[in-house]
Amino acid sequence: MLTYVVRRILAVFPVMGVVVLFVFVLIRIAPGDPAAIIAGDYASPQAIETIRVALGLDQPLHVQLRVYVTNVLRGDLGRSLHSKLPVRTLIAQRLEPTVALTLSTLALAVTLAVPLGILAAWKAGTWVDRAVMVFAVAGFSIPVFWLGFLMIYGFAVTLDVLPVQGYVSYREDVGAFARHLVLPTLTLGLVYMALLTRITRASMLEVLGADYIRTAQAKGQGSRRILFGHALKNASVPIVTTIGVGLTLLISGVVITESVFALPGLGRLTVDAVLQRDYSIIQGVTLLSSAVYVLVNLVVDLCYLLLDPRIRY
């Protein structure tokens, strides 16, 4: 097991190297000139060329790549082309709302979706199962931005029980921090809950039809012991996989949710950087998102060893 863990951790480094290469090349070959955007609509060609030289954009791609990789290895993600602030500082300023929204959504979805999936599988074919599946289908079908506006209209505008938009740090006011996260968490969590509920139900249905489950029932074991002592443990591998893969949905959904609820997180920072063609910020945020995704996959792979000792690579 230790050999596999070490080998799996070492595999992260070449993956991140490929990610760095792809992010750098794809952004550089995208249409548009950041020097012209910074210079403005009425800038002369000489002024645009001066800015391009100052940013190092006049250098060949391999030279720009060498400089970028060297800086990344030193922890330097560069400076914003517009604000001139270090990208690392900008990311640190926007990290808290995004992490808070992601963790609250993950906690809500896992806490509710897994029991709902188990209940639907245990009551398969009944009105309980159909009600849970209707909820899951609705969660997949409703666009995140539309659900966000419905939440705002219902709970903030009509009932006036929750704030419309914005974010308050937990260091300033814990109560206001929680209230500002309720609507974004419900909006983003519904999609994630739908996915996790369906996967949990399908995995549990497959396991509940196995011979050893019927044997346990024939021996008179209680429903709780069969569900949680036998079935859930053997159905947990695809559930854990879905939790990890679902984080990619959260990363993409955070961008939309933060825009709807005006949360000053990494999603808003990314949207602003794309509109301004701020290469440094786009590279930094993409690199961070990719690193989180690779790390989550590493954790999921290591969890397989604990959940099913038969799994070896």
Side-chain angles (χ1 to χ4, degrees), residues 32-40 43 47-49 51-53 55 57 81:
D33 186 353
I37 296 176
I38 294 174
I48 296 175
E49 186 60 27
I51 294 175
R52 186 177 292 111
V53 172
L55 297 175
L57 299 176
L81 301 182

Side-chain angles (χ1 to χ4, degrees), residues 223-278:
S223 301
R224 181 176 300 179
R225 181 173 176 79
I226 293 174
L227 281 176
F228 298 100
H230 299 289
L232 182 59
K233 183 178 180 181
N234 290 286
S236 57
V237 170
I239 296 174
V240 170
T241 303
T242 306
I243 292 175
V245 173
L247 277 176
T248 58
L249 292 177
L250 291 184
I251 292 173
S252 58
V254 157
V255 176
I256 301 174
T257 307
E258 287 184 355
S259 299
V260 172
F261 291 96
L263 296 177
L266 291 178
R268 289 285 302 279
L269 179 66
T270 305
V271 172
D272 294 340
V274 169
L275 294 177
Q276 297 175 340
R277 296 196 61 77
D278 199 325

